[in-house]
Every structure is written in C-alpha cells, then in structure tokens.
C-alpha cells in the first residue's frame, strides 16, 4: 500500500443557483488575457444541455478517456503510441473553435465617441479573432440563455443515450421539464488521460497533493492532451502556443486559502479537503471490466484516515502529521466515503476523477404540498424518488455509469435527512427509524446535516498548508505562472497580483502570499505595498488615488 494525498472538491448541486460568479472570478484570476478569450477553467452548465465545449461528453466522437483492450488492459481511446504518433502533426479529434465559440467584444469606441445625432449609436459585436463584425450565435452557457430544453434537450449526449434504452423515459413536455446547474472544473484525476496523452511529458501530477499541472517549458503545443481529456478541460492558448488548464489555485492552497471559485461561491456549495488513497491500486481500479462497478472500485481506493495501518503507511511515505490531521477532518472524504452522498463525474471514463457532486434532489416538496401531501414525511419523500422530475436514469448516466441503484441510495439519504431534521426543527422528538432506514445512525445523520447545511468556513475548507521548509520542493518552474502575460503576470499597476513577479512559486512568493492574506498590517512588504487585487483583497492598505480624499470631493 503506497499512501498518497490528493486535494479534492465536492459540490452540492442542490445549492447551485446558476449565478456564474465562480466562472467570472476564475476568468478574471486566470484567463483574463490574450489567447485565452474562449477559455473557462470553471464554467456552469445547464442540464440537460450540450455543455461546453459543445457535446463534450460524446466520446464516440472525441475519443477522450480510457478503454480496455482485448487483454483487459487500459489504453487511451485515441489508440496506442504508434497511432497517436502518426497523428501528432494533425489531430482532428478535438473540438474546433465553433464547438467553443468565437469570442467577441463590442465596439465601445463608436458607442462613446459617436457624434451627436437623432439616432442612438450601436456597439456592434466584434470578433476577438478577426477583429471584424460578427454575429453572436453561441457561447458558454448558451443553453441556459435560451432556456430551451424543449427545443435543444435532444442534443444532450446523455439524453440521447437514455432515450436509446427507453424511448419514452425522457420527454420535454411542459409538465415534465426539468433542469439543474452543473459547475465544472478540471477533475485532477488519479488516472489522468491528458497526462498519458502528452508526447512531451509536459503534464504532471504533483506528488504532494495530486494537483495536475502543465509544464509550460516542456509543452510543445501538440494538443494531444485536449483529445485525451474526456472532460475537455484543457485548452490551447493560440498566442503562446501552449496548453493551459485549471491549476486548482495551488498558490492559494499552499497558504491555506480556498480556490477562487470556492471562495466566491454565492451558494456555499463547494467543499475542499484532502483524500488519502492507495496509489498502487489505481490501475487495477481503473481496469474494472464492468463500468457500473467503477464507482465502487474508486471508493475502494480512498483510505480511512482513522485506520492505524493507513496512518503508519502515510507516515512512512513522508506525509506530514498535520496533513493527516486535515485528512481526518476532510469534508470531501466525509461526503464521498463516510456518508456516501457525493458521486464522481463520469466514472466510465476510467480517469478516477476527484471532483465529486451531491446530486440534486428535485424540488418535489412544493409539488407534493400542492397535492395535499405531507411533503416532508419520510414515506412520501421516499415514494417520490421514483417519480422525480429529474429522471434517476439521467443522474446515473452522469455520476455512476448508468447504475441507478447507487443514485437512488444517495437520494434516499438526502430525503431521509430532510424528513429527520423536520421533526427536530419543529421541536418534536427525533425518529431514529428514519436514519436507520438508510443505514445511518442519528449522530451520523445530524453530522451530515450540519456539514451540508450550516457548516462554517473552516469546516467547508479544510486545507493543509505547505511547509515553509518544503517550499522549494513546491517550485512550479514550468507552470503557467512563469511566462510573459501568464496568469498573474500583469504589470505593477495598482491592481497587480501579489504573485505577479516572474519567479516560481517558491519560498519568496510563499511568504509574500502568506503575509498578504494573514497579516493585520498593510498588505505585503515594501515591494508589494500599494497593490490591490479585488478578487482576494484582504482590506489592508490601498494604492494612492484608489479612493478620493474628502477635501478633493468638496471642490
């Protein structure tokens, strides 16, 4: 048993309101520069829908992820080394610009500087690729903008798959229409297909926390990683000629700060924490022949941080003691393994994804109440699971490779928690039979409720800090922070980033970020003083001229 640590995330889909704040703040922090106009490390998709890029889940077309060969061994869907070598100079099996969208801006100059006339000036959309006038026809979250599942729902690859099995299972009549939001980031997989696809060996998985990064110095722009990633969460920067992806905001994690998407989430639906897993068993788990058993195979990889044997093995592998303590308090481990209400996205891709989702429990309470039922009674809620507006089959295709029983078990636990807490909130005696019906104790159910409903900041984000004495071991010389115009590489203007110097994230920036985010004094040292980043501003200090003086305003 080789114990390794992996940072993971859980998202509670019942809490997502589709505000896209996470997407906007991530965009501003990481991809707000030339060459990444179409890039969204974080995006929020409306389901059912085509997703972003368009129909990225159609692996019959895109050939992403892994499959088993005739001998039962893992191989990339794009084929063996020889086949991939033959396509290294031209890889047509990847999304084109139209599958993302042609990024645009508006002709604001005309809008602002147009001469006085009888007509209002118009700011026409301008392509950021050609600079010419363009028609805006599609973009990220376009299905959400159209709100047209009755017209476009059939384009969802999962809907197609479920319909093939049962033609009448998913319809889009008004009374049966359903939708929910699905935020997506890089999955930081245990068995990443992108890393195996890269001819240059530029993609690597950090041994200390499992975050998957791209070495920008070694990347040669072959774009095989884009084909290999089944989630299509690696992008090509056409300006730098390099591949880029979500970094899990590792400079923030190293000083104990949540990712930007988690920090700014309005619904507080994201949880960050540590998993311990058996690295020696990853290949065997991903090679499980039955796709519907891949979820359980992945669960078996996750180790109990309370197990003395696991603790001893982790110490032998050099995992710090405080990291083991964080693993024991990890909310992602609790939701995924202990309470079993969080599920991985598309385990059938065999990448062992480490971003997990609590599936949505359809808004059935209002409907049941309108029909005269006691909507939160245990038997009523359990009975409604079979007739949810969101078909269980659809959720199963997303999270369990089609295994509806696992999804039903999760929904029953969520319904049981709602019924159990209703009695407590109304001042009645708790009913121990409710948690017992889903294999839980009263203590476990209340702890799950507290974590999912009222958990405090430090309970949702249990992030082990990097050790200063190990900071040089965490140098990411080849990450996207070290080239001109990369993330955080803006000039020393008042709104520059604290990590904006062209050096690796090592001892110097480790201490600078730590001081900036935790100090009670003015932000940063003399070199960083007077620079403000509105995304993670700690409120300490401000550059001259940011706020007008009162005597100036009185003039």
């Amino acid at each position: 048993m080789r114990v390794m640590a992996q940072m993971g995330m859980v998202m509670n889909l019942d809490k997502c309101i589709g505000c896209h704040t996470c997407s906007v703040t991530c965009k501003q922090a990481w991809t707000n520069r030339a060459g990444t106009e179409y890039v969204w490390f974080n995006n929020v998709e409306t389901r059912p829908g085509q997703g972003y890029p368009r129909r990225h889940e159609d692996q019959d077309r895109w050939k992403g992820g892994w499959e088993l060969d005739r001998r039962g061994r893992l191989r990339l869907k794009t084929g063996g080394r020889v086949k991939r070598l033959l396509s290294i100079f031209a890889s047509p099996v990847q999304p084109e610009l139209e599958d993302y969208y042609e990024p645009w801006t508006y002709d604001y100059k005309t809008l602002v500087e147009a001469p006085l006339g009888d007509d209002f000036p118009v700011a026409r959309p301008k392509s950021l690729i050609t600079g010419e006038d363009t028609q805006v026809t599609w973009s990220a979250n376009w299905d959400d903008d159209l709100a047209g599942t009755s017209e476009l729902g059939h384009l969802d690859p999962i809907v197609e798959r479920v319909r093939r099995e049962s033609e009448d299972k998913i319809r889009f009549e008004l009374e049966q229409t359903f939708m929910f939001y699905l935020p997506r980031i890089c999955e930081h997989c245990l068995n990443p297909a992108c890393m195996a696809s890269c001819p240059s060996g530029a993609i690597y998985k950090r041994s200390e926390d499992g975050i998957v990064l791209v070495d920008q110095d070694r990347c040669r722009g072959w774009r095989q990683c884009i084909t290999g990633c089944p989630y299509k969460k690696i992008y090509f920067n056409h300006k730098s000629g390099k591949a880029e992806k979500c970094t899990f905001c590792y400079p923030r994690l190293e000083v104990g700060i949540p990712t930007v998407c988690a920090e700014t989430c309005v619904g507080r639906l994201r949880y960050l924490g540590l998993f311990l897993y058996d690295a020696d068993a990853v290949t065997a788990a991903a090679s499980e022949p039955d796709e519907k058993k891949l979820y359980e195979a992945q669960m078996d990889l996750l180790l109990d941080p309370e197990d003395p044997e696991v603790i001893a093995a982790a110490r032998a592998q050099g995992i710090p003691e405080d990291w083991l303590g964080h693993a024991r308090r990890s909310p992602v481990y609790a939701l995924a393994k202990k309470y079993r209400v969080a599920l991985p996205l598309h385990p059938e891709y065999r990448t062992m994804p480490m971003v997990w989702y609590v599936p949505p429990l359809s808004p059935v309470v209002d409907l049941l109440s309108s029909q005269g039922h006691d909507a939160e009674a245990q038997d009523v809620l359990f009975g409604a699971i079979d007739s949810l507006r969101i078909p269980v089959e659809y959720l199963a295709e997303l999270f369990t490779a089609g295994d509806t029983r696992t999804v039903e078990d999760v929904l029953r636990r969520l319904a049981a928690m709602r019924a159990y807490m209703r009695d407590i909130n109304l001042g009645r005696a708790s009913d121990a039979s409710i948690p017992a019906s889903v294999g839980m104790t009263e203590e476990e159910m209340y702890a799950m409720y507290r974590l999912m409903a009222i958990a405090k900041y430090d309970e949702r984000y249990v992030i082990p800090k990097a050790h200063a004495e190990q900071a040089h071991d965490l140098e990411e010389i080849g990450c996207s922070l070290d080239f001109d115009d990369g993330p955080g590489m803006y000039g020393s203007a008042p709104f520059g980033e604290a990590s904006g110097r062209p050096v690796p994230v090592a001892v110097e920036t480790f201490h600078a970020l730590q001081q900036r985010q935790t100090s009670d004094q003015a932000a940063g040292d003399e070199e960083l003083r007077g620079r403000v980043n509105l995304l993670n501003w700690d409120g300490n200090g401000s550059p001259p001229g940011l706020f007008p003086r009162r005597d100036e305003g009185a003039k």
Side-chain angles (χ1 to χ4, degrees), residues 76-95:
L76 293 167
K77 281 192 174 182
T78 51
R81 293 183 180 179
V82 174
K83 184 177 180 180
R84 286 186 285 118
L85 181 61
L86 293 175
S87 63
I88 194 171
F89 293 106
S91 181
V93 188
Q94 59 182 285

Side-chain angles (χ1 to χ4, degrees), residues 76-124:
L76 293 167
K77 281 192 174 182
T78 51
R81 293 183 180 179
V82 174
K83 184 177 180 180
R84 286 186 285 118
L85 181 61
L86 293 175
S87 63
I88 194 171
F89 293 106
S91 181
V93 188
Q94 59 182 285
E96 299 177 359
L97 185 61
E98 64 179 15
D99 295 307
Y100 297 99
Y101 64 92
E102 186 171 359
W104 74 90
T105 185
Y106 292 97
D107 187 7
Y108 295 110
K109 184 176 180 180
T110 298
L111 186 66
V112 174
E113 299 181 359
L116 183 63
D118 295 332
D119 301 321
F120 286 103
V122 176
R124 296 182 180 276

Side-chain angles (χ1 to χ4, degrees), residues 29 487-491 493 495-501 513 516-517 528 531-533 536:
M489 295 296 105
Y490 303 108
F495 298 101
E497 169 60 82
S499 61
R501 293 167 291 164
L513 275 171
R516 178 175 180 79
Q517 298 298 336
L528 300 177
R531 297 169 61 182
V532 178
N533 179 352
N536 59 6

Side-chain angles (χ1 to χ4, degrees), residues 100-175:
Y100 297 99
Y101 64 92
E102 186 171 359
W104 74 90
T105 185
Y106 292 97
D107 187 7
Y108 295 110
K109 184 176 180 180
T110 298
L111 186 66
V112 174
E113 299 181 359
L116 183 63
D118 295 332
D119 301 321
F120 286 103
V122 176
R124 296 182 180 276
K126 295 278 189 179
S127 170
L128 287 173
I129 304 299
T130 65
E132 304 295 330
D133 289 349
T134 187
Q135 293 292 327
V136 180
T137 59
W138 206 72
S139 73
N141 310 307
W142 196 256
D143 293 344
D144 180 26
D145 296 334
L146 292 179
T149 52
S150 60
E151 296 295 329
L152 301 174
H154 67 282
L155 298 176
D156 184 334
I158 296 178
V159 171
E160 286 184 358
R161 203 153 50 235
V162 174
R163 277 181 166 176
R164 282 198 299 266
E165 298 173 0
S166 177
E167 184 63 30
D168 296 328
K169 190 63 184 179
I170 294 183
R171 297 183 177 181
F172 292 119
E173 282 83 358
L174 180 61
E175 69 275 7

Side-chain angles (χ1 to χ4, degrees), residues 16-322:
C16 185
I17 62 175
C19 66
H20 307 291
T21 302
C22 52
S23 299
V24 173
T25 51
C26 176
K27 182 75 174 175
Q28 182 67 26
W30 292 101
T31 60
N32 186 22
R33 53 203 158 79
T36 60
E37 293 88 352
Y38 77 104
V39 175
W40 296 84
F41 288 170
N42 183 110
N43 69 291
V44 182
E45 299 173 358
T46 301
R47 293 308 178 105
Q50 299 181 74
Y52 180 77
R54 211 184 311 237
R55 293 175 59 85
H56 68 271
E57 291 163 308
D58 184 0
Q59 302 312 324
D60 292 337
R61 177 183 181 187
W62 302 123
K63 308 296 183 184
W66 302 88
E67 63 183 3
L68 299 181
D69 62 14
R70 294 178 181 178
R71 299 181 181 180
R73 297 180 302 184
L74 283 174
R75 73 171 183 184
L76 293 167
K77 281 192 174 182
T78 51
R81 293 183 180 179
V82 174
K83 184 177 180 180
R84 286 186 285 118
L85 181 61
L86 293 175
S87 63
I88 194 171
F89 293 106
S91 181
V93 188
Q94 59 182 285
E96 299 177 359
L97 185 61
E98 64 179 15
D99 295 307
Y100 297 99
Y101 64 92
E102 186 171 359
W104 74 90
T105 185
Y106 292 97
D107 187 7
Y108 295 110
K109 184 176 180 180
T110 298
L111 186 66
V112 174
E113 299 181 359
L116 183 63
D118 295 332
D119 301 321
F120 286 103
V122 176
R124 296 182 180 276
K126 295 278 189 179
S127 170
L128 287 173
I129 304 299
T130 65
E132 304 295 330
D133 289 349
T134 187
Q135 293 292 327
V136 180
T137 59
W138 206 72
S139 73
N141 310 307
W142 196 256
D143 293 344
D144 180 26
D145 296 334
L146 292 179
T149 52
S150 60
E151 296 295 329
L152 301 174
H154 67 282
L155 298 176
D156 184 334
I158 296 178
V159 171
E160 286 184 358
R161 203 153 50 235
V162 174
R163 277 181 166 176
R164 282 198 299 266
E165 298 173 0
S166 177
E167 184 63 30
D168 296 328
K169 190 63 184 179
I170 294 183
R171 297 183 177 181
F172 292 119
E173 282 83 358
L174 180 61
E175 69 275 7
Q176 293 179 300
T177 299
F178 69 96
M179 59 81 66
F180 62 94
Y181 296 109
L182 182 73
R184 289 204 311 120
I185 64 172
C186 168
E187 299 289 326
H188 295 278
C189 307
L190 298 182
N191 185 36
C194 60
M195 184 172 71
S197 300
C198 179
S200 305
I203 300 180
Y204 63 101
K205 189 173 178 65
R206 300 209 316 180
S207 60
E208 61 274 7
D209 54 18
I211 296 175
V212 179
L213 297 173
V214 181
D215 184 331
Q216 295 288 303
D217 291 335
R218 299 185 66 177
C219 178
R220 295 295 177 264
W222 297 119
R223 287 174 271 189
Q224 296 282 344
C225 56
I226 299 175
T227 302
C229 175
Y231 305 97
K232 294 297 174 277
K233 273 300 174 183
I234 295 189
Y235 300 88
F236 182 69
N237 184 322
H238 59 83
K239 181 179 180 182
S240 66
K242 308 286 188 177
E244 297 187 21
K245 63 178 294 297
C246 161
T247 66
F248 219 62
C249 291
Y250 73 87
R252 295 170 60 93
L253 295 187
E254 288 177 2
V255 291
I257 306 170
T259 62
V260 169
C261 60
E263 181 85 81
T264 59
C265 176
V266 173
R268 299 183 178 182
L269 60 95
R270 300 187 186 226
Y271 299 80
L272 289 167
L274 204 64
F275 288 107
L276 299 179
Y277 71 98
D278 184 0
D280 289 336
V282 171
T283 300
S287 303
E288 165 61 49
D290 188 349
E291 288 187 346
K292 293 186 178 181
K293 294 181 179 179
L294 283 168
Y295 163 70
E296 287 296 337
Q298 184 170 350
M299 294 297 288
D300 292 340
L301 287 175
L302 306 182
L303 302 175
D304 183 359
E306 302 282 356
D307 187 335
E309 292 185 9
V310 173
I311 295 174
R315 288 169 176 164
Q317 295 295 327
I319 297 178
E321 199 66 35
D322 59 331

